[in-house]
Every structure is written in C-alpha cells, then in structure tokens.
Amino acid sequence: MLKKFIAVILFALTILLVVPLSSAFAYTGGILEGNLMYNGKSGDTTSQTNGTKNMTDGNLSTSSTLSYSGGYNTSWALITVSTIDSYQLKMNYLSVPTNAIYLKFYDISDNELYSTNVLNGSGVKVNIAPVPNVKKVVLINTNASNGAYIYEFDIFVAAATLPPTVPLRLSAVGGNAKVDLNWTSVQGATSYNIKRSTIAGGPYTNIGLNVAMTTYTDTTVTNGTKYYYILTAVNDGGESANSQEVSATPQVPPPSAPTNLTATTVNNQVYLTWDSVTNATYYVLERSTNAGGPYSSIYNSVTSTTYTDLNLTNGTYYYVVHAVNSGGVSGNSNEASATIQLDPQLKITIAEEKVKVGQEVIANVSLKNVSNIYAEDFSVGFDKNLFDYVGFEQVPGYKVYNTPVANQNGVVRFIVSSQGQQYGITGEKTFVKLKLKAKAPGTGKVDALKCRIADIDKEFDLTEQSCGEDSVVIEGFQDVNKSGEYTLVDLAIDAYYYGQLASNADPVKYNVNQAGDEYVADDDLVFIVNQMLANANYASNK
C-alpha cells in the first residue's frame, strides 16, 4: 500500500517537471497577452523604454516591480482603440497599502477615461462598466515607500454591442417659435439623434446629435412653417433605424381677449371703442339684440380699435369684439350695449325717377323705426293736376279696412291693420301700396300728411316732420315717328312692331314704347288711338 502511494506522488512530481509552471497558471484571452508593458518613472507614460513582457507572458514565475525605490512606479501599454469591460491582475502587494495601486485608462488624446484602486490582486477577473475609446492602459504605484510585484495583468474587450431598437412614441407639439419633442427611452441607448425636414418623408437634416435626454426643444423654427421629425437611438453598437415621422407647426399664440369695450350712441349710430391687443392682426365685431347673445358678426376685419355701427333701427344692441392673429381667435371681450331710439316715420317711396304721361305710378307706404305696431290710420295727398287716383294694392298680412276715396283736394285716408301677431311691424315694413296714374307733365309729389299708429297698449300720433314724401318726374308724351303729333302712321309703326321688344325699333327714328311697357302690345296701340282722337288738329276720316 505504501509503495502504491509513493508511486502516485512520484508521478505527480514528474508531471510538474514536464509541464511548465506558466501553463498551469496561464492568463489568456486579453488584448495585452504577450505585449510589451513600458516601465516609467514618476508616472511617465510616454517614454517607450524599459519594455517588458513579464506581466503579460502568462507565466506566474516572472514579474515586474512597481516601486519608487526601484525607480519605476508606472507600467503602461498602447492598444488598439477598444471598449474595455474587465481586467485581471495577479500581484503581491508586499508592504504596499491595497489602495496605493491604481488602474487608469486614457483615450487617444491622453484624456483620462477611467481610474480605480486595484483592490483585488488575486488574479480573478473583475468586471467594470464598459469604457469606450480606450487607447492607453496604465498601472501606477502611488506609495513612495514600498513596491509591489506584478505577476500577470490583462484587460478584456467588451463583447460586441448591437445597435439599439427603434425609438417609440415620438411626439411633436408646436409652440411659439418652438417645437417640443418627446419620446420613450430605449433600453441600451446612450444618446439620440434628432433629424428634421420641411418635406414629409425627408430628406432630413440633423438638428440634435448625442442628445442624452428623452425630450428636446427645437427653437430654430419659423412660425407658420410645418416641420417633420424623426429620431434614432445610438450606442456603441451603432445607430438604430428611424422612428416614425411626426410633424408640428409652430404658431404665435392666439391673442388675449380685448378689454374695455364701450358702446356710445351718437346721432342714432353706435360708436364702439376698445383697448388695443398685443399681437392682434385685426378684430371681429359681433352684435346681438339679446344680452349674452347669440351674436352675429357685423364686421370681420377691423384694423383699428374703433368702429361705428350704422343703419340701426330702434332697440338695444349688445356687442362683443374678438382679436385675431395667425395663431387663432381670442375669446369674447366684455359685453357693451347701447340703445337706439329713433322717431317713428311714415315713409312714401316711389321706385321710378321718371315716368311718362299715361303710366301708372306705385307709391309704397311704410313704417320705420317702430316696434310691434298693429294698426295705422293715415292720409296721403297728391297733386290732382298731375295724377289720377287709381286705387291701392294690399300687402300680404295687412288689410285696408276702410274704403279709400280721393277727395277734391287729392287726399286719401287709409285705415290698415295687421292680420296676426306675426305681422306686427318692427323696424321698417311696407304695408300698403298707393296706385296713381300720371296724366300731365311735371314733378308729381306724393305726401304723407298725418298718421296715427298703435301697438296693443297705446296709440300715438307722428309729427309732421315724421311724415315723409317722395316725387317723380312726369315726362310729356312723344308720338311714335317724332313728327310732333299722333297720326295713323304712328299706329301703323307700332302695329309693325307688335309683339316685339320695344328695343328692336331704331330709337333714333321711333318711339314705339308708348305705354311704358317692355313689349309693343295693345296698351301701346290703345294709347296711340286715344291720342289721335284727342288731337284736334288731326282731320278725321269721315
């Protein structure tokens, strides 16, 4: 039994002698493996002298000493630019405090990227947060009294990183000369790139690179222009695909509501004024006959802060004003009101300016500046030398209840009433039409002489100044062929154009329109015959 145990021991010793110590304690897989480490004095990491592989050869029986007393307290190496995520160090601290040995990484411009106390020198791999862009690796002993033996040292490149996924939920909200962007954080992304275009679908221009947050405000915009945005996420593995496209249009904010609106009655008009609003382009005025509305627009583009509302009838009017710019419309201003109280009027209106002898004349009779009037008693006078009274024409909803007859002075009295609540007269309304016939040349006047009106509570008389009048010029007749008298030839000419438009005849030679009608018809021929019979100078055919 003892012989067998001794044989096993001898076999193990043989293996140890045959297999090198370095193989038993090999450090592999790092980027320093087998590379030179340069030893420097007093922190020198630039002089490429005193190179050694003792700490990168994978052999634990070799070492380098970091010691001020030995002259070299620094060891460093250059590597291909890499991202480092772990290191492995086998060392003997001797009498050096464990917090005296530092590991540092530098970039290509010699900017320090990473620094840590090497607290674990047992040879176990230590993981660290990935450090990108590492070009130089440095070990340094900061203790001036004691040294340390470095048996093996290596660093390891981080595993390849995949580009991040596409950012989600990108939103864009336009403001005043800005667009606010927001999105959801992407796992593994270290930054974001923001791209913009004024055309849907691009091409896009980078406006924000390496943005660390998940919000961004674009202030390089012009109000009124629509902008399109996409977003990418970035990490060491690269850039993600584009996010979905979003758009926004920056705008100036809508103006505030106007203040201090006032309404003043001046000469039966309403004068409005209000305070100017900053950033307002123009104003919109609205009016109602009810307090609080609803309102209707009366003017849409007032550029000053005053306005005069014209052509109003009796009543109280309520006004509001809005301010407008490219960003929208403000709310209502304060409401202002004014009351119009005009004298009631009985109006006479003749549409024609000129008529000919023999033509019928219509004089419209209307009330104006009244409210809820249901009955009228009035008289109208006319010049009996120029007109003959023909009668009247009733207006639907209103009825003449007396029998109007012209007296010897050319005065006709009418008593009229509405026929239902809906026909009460408010504002201005024609309620009957007087019919006269022109019989002699001159200026014929039709005059409202007096008028009494009534609502359902009271009656009252209009002043003489409130009873109006109108006139028409009556032109004398002219025979058809312009010879100066009516003869059978005139009748023949109109007979030739019978049924045609009067304008078909040559107006220089003929006046075929004798009755004032558009067409040549029986009334023209009757008029000519009557003028022939009335012409004492024209010899009859007896």
Side-chain angles (χ1 to χ4, degrees), residues 350-413:
I350 300 172
E352 297 85 359
E353 293 184 1
K354 296 180 180 180
V355 296
K356 292 181 179 179
V357 171
Q359 281 187 254
E360 191 173 274
V361 176
I362 301 293
N364 293 317
V365 183
S366 61
L367 280 175
K368 183 180 180 181
N369 302 331
V370 296
S371 178
N372 296 317
I373 298 300
Y374 288 90
E376 304 83 25
D377 181 358
F378 65 94
S379 296
V380 177
F382 60 89
D383 189 340
K384 290 195 67 176
N385 295 319
L386 301 180
F387 294 111
D388 283 331
Y389 175 67
V390 175
F392 60 90
E393 179 182 336
Q394 298 199 97
V395 175
Y398 307 92
K399 186 174 181 178
V400 177
Y401 279 94
N402 68 328
T403 303
V405 177
N407 65 18
Q408 61 184 4
N409 297 320
V411 177
V412 185
R413 182 183 180 187

Side-chain angles (χ1 to χ4, degrees), residues 40-58:
K41 296 181 179 181
S42 301
D44 176 21
T45 61
T46 58
S47 300
Q48 295 185 1
T49 58
N50 300 305
T52 178
K53 295 183 180 181
N54 285 349
M55 65 181 73
T56 63
D57 59 3

Side-chain angles (χ1 to χ4, degrees), residues 192-254:
Y192 302 91
N193 292 336
I194 300 162
K195 305 172 185 182
R196 184 186 73 191
S197 176
T198 55
I199 302 171
Y204 302 98
T205 300
N206 284 316
I207 61 169
L209 295 176
N210 299 319
V211 176
M213 308 296 290
T214 56
T215 62
Y216 184 81
T217 298
D218 183 8
T219 58
T220 61
V221 293
T222 301
N223 283 337
T225 299
K226 189 172 186 178
Y227 295 92
Y228 300 86
Y229 297 89
I230 59 171
L231 177 72
T232 58
V234 181
N235 64 14
D236 290 339
E239 187 174 19
S240 74
N242 293 339
S243 70
Q244 86 278 12
E245 181 184 75
V246 295
S247 64
T249 303
Q251 292 281 10
V252 296

